[in-house]
Amino acid sequence: MPSTYTKRMEQMHALVRGEMTPESLASALNVESNRLAAYPRFVRNHVFDMLEKHFGCLHDLLGDRVWKELCQTYFTQVPCQDYDLNLAAEHFPEFILQDEIEQKHGLSVFHAELCQLEWEEYVVFKTKVHWPDKKCATPVLHPAVSIFEFTHTAGSFLLAWRQGQAGQKDAQSMMAAPKSERVMVLQHPRTCMSRTYVANAELLLAFKVVHDGLTLAQMCDASRLSEKEMLQVLFAAQDKGLIVLPRDWGVA
Amino acid sequence: MDWAALKESKFGVGLRRPHFDAILEQHRGVDFVEILPENFMGFGGRIEDVLKRVKARFPIVAHGVSLSLAGLDPLNQTYLNNLKTFVETLESPWFSDHLSASSGHGIEYHDLLPFPYTHEAVGYIGDRIKKVQDVISRPFLIENPSTYVVLPGEMPEIEFLCTLLDKAECGLLLDVNNIFVNSQNHGFDPYAYIDAIPAQRVLQMHLAGHDDQGEFLIDTHGAPVCAEVFKLYAYALKHCGPVWTLLEWDNNIPALDVLLAENQKVRKWAAEVDDA
Ligand SMILES: [Fe+2]
């Protein structure tokens, strides 16, 4: 390509990446700087909007000032290379793990786990899940469950925050007295939407007995539950989308 | 390419998340839907499920934003290959993208940047369009851009567009709102612009709302279509003949009944042109 075309497009690139100000480029192009300024604003805002969309809980926890600084630094350091705009947010969980970022903004493992979890919900939402056969003869375990062993109660916090039942104070106490938890994220087979669960004993039991391919009698033996109790556990897990039971096992 | 054989009058809306469920129930006056491949390609889950159900009900046309025809990077082969498979699966009668740059140095802007209208750019972009058409064996339309600045070049936008259509042998998605926005922003006659368009190449039109920033207009797709744009649309229809008309509404997305009412308005304007 001729050098003038290349030069102009390189200048526009520098403009939208924030490496050149609209004012300095406007005079070179003989255009109005306020019009030129629209382009970098839009490009930046697309990324900021995506970060907000995917990490709304983390934003709320960190407050606007820290959040804006993080977004701006992320935009500069980690440009998006994918045509799916959602993936502009993909590297944010790793980004906040950097020592420099963590120290500067006072981030903790709790924040990192929360961020990882919020992103996983999108990954799971987008995943093409290949079920073996939902009209199964034996119980089937969800083929694509993401399981996290968190050192902090980031999953409990996220779920409570969504209900309007947790805020910064709760996060402070969770950070002060960390408790581990296991969190599952899966795409619900009925709604096809992401669901997040803090795994309790019943959910883990359902996971294990179905994973191990046990018969109902073997499940009862292994768990020392009555058939009725075992079925209750299984139906609850099915309702959550973790397993699918054969049709003739009935419904809860 | 026998462009005339593809000309047909249809009216459609964009498939947007807030309407995923509603549009399958409520779709009076909607002949087709337009989708952004970027929002659907490679998705499983709800997105894939909705797309399947929508495809069973409506013709779908794909309108991309990532070819970056005016950009300096080589064409993104992964994107092109994915797009090829995708438009074939959709049975999209044609596909379209914008006359602009949307990436550079491997970085996606997710926005559409202007470029200089020069003779060399005609050759450069024309060759890229031909490569795209070679990969995706379906008719390809370029969309006239909306811009807030005109970079120093050698010809006006309309001359560039017509020369490029000739060189690239592609079709045109005529965005009527973009013509209006640019005519206001850069001071040209939008009717003369339409007069110069090679009518047979226009298979689709876009209508949208814009935002008046005082000093210039921004193509926000976040408001109803204004009266001037409707008048321009009627004029463009007279000039171009039957096309698929798509109502774009991507920001401040209203309830589906508002969108459908606006689509009915589009149909009414088109019917008046037919009656005249
Ligand atoms: Fe458009």
Side-chain angles (χ1 to χ4, degrees), chain B residues 42 77 79 106 116 124 129 140 152-153 170 172 204 214 219-220 223 232 267:
Chain B
Q77 286 304 325
Y79 174 71
Y124 175 66
I129 293 174
F140 176 62
C170 63
L172 178 63
Q204 192 180 340
D219 175 33
T220 50
L232 211 51
R267 294 188 83 107

Side-chain angles (χ1 to χ4, degrees), chain B residues 6-200:
Chain B
L6 294 166
K7 278 185 159 284
E8 205 181 351
S9 182
K10 281 187 193 291
F11 302 87
V13 297
L15 178 60
R16 299 289 176 262
R17 268 188 211 195
H19 306 142
F20 271 2
D21 288 317
I23 197 146
L24 288 158
E25 308 290 321
Q26 194 191 348
H27 43 246
R28 197 165 77 87
V30 177
D31 302 326
F32 74 97
V33 299
E34 186 188 83
I35 65 157
L36 253 64
E38 290 78 2
N39 291 348
F40 293 86
M41 276 198 298
F43 280 76
R46 177 153 158 73
I47 304 281
E48 185 182 32
D49 179 61
V50 167
L51 189 59
K52 262 188 212 157
R53 288 188 287 137
V54 168
K55 184 177 179 301
R57 175 64 190 75
F58 303 97
I60 300 179
V61 68
H63 175 57
V65 288
S66 307
L67 278 178
S68 196
L69 292 166
L72 295 177
D73 285 354
L75 291 168
N76 180 339
Q77 286 304 325
T78 310
Y79 174 71
L80 262 181
N81 294 336
N82 291 349
L83 194 61
K84 177 186 171 62
T85 312
F86 189 69
V87 295
E88 280 170 5
T89 312
L90 282 184
E91 301 174 77
S92 181
W94 54 78
F95 76 103
S96 55
D97 204 313
H98 302 77
L99 189 50
S100 60
S102 59
S103 59
H105 295 275
I107 299 171
E108 296 286 337
Y109 309 142
H110 301 105
D111 215 298
L112 306 166
L113 303 193
F115 61 93
Y117 300 135
T118 62
H119 293 285
E120 289 84 355
V122 170
Y124 175 66
I125 297 171
D127 287 344
R128 283 160 76 85
I129 293 174
K130 283 184 173 166
K131 280 184 198 154
V132 169
Q133 286 174 314
D134 286 346
V135 175
I136 307 173
S137 41
R138 300 215 160 215
F140 176 62
L141 318 184
I142 47 170
E143 176 176 342
N144 55 300
S146 63
T147 55
Y148 313 119
V149 294
V150 175
L151 303 188
E154 296 165 354
M155 62 188 102
E157 177 188 320
I158 185 62
E159 188 183 333
F160 183 88
L161 184 63
C162 294
T163 316
L164 181 69
L165 287 170
D166 220 31
K167 151 99 185 159
E169 296 172 20
C170 63
L172 178 63
L173 190 171
L174 191 67
D175 188 312
V176 180
N177 181 56
N178 288 356
I179 302 176
F180 180 76
V181 164
N182 287 5
S183 72
Q184 295 283 307
N185 285 348
H186 312 311
F188 63 75
D189 176 2
Y191 291 90
Y193 186 107
I194 290 169
D195 287 339
I197 294 288
Q200 72 283 3

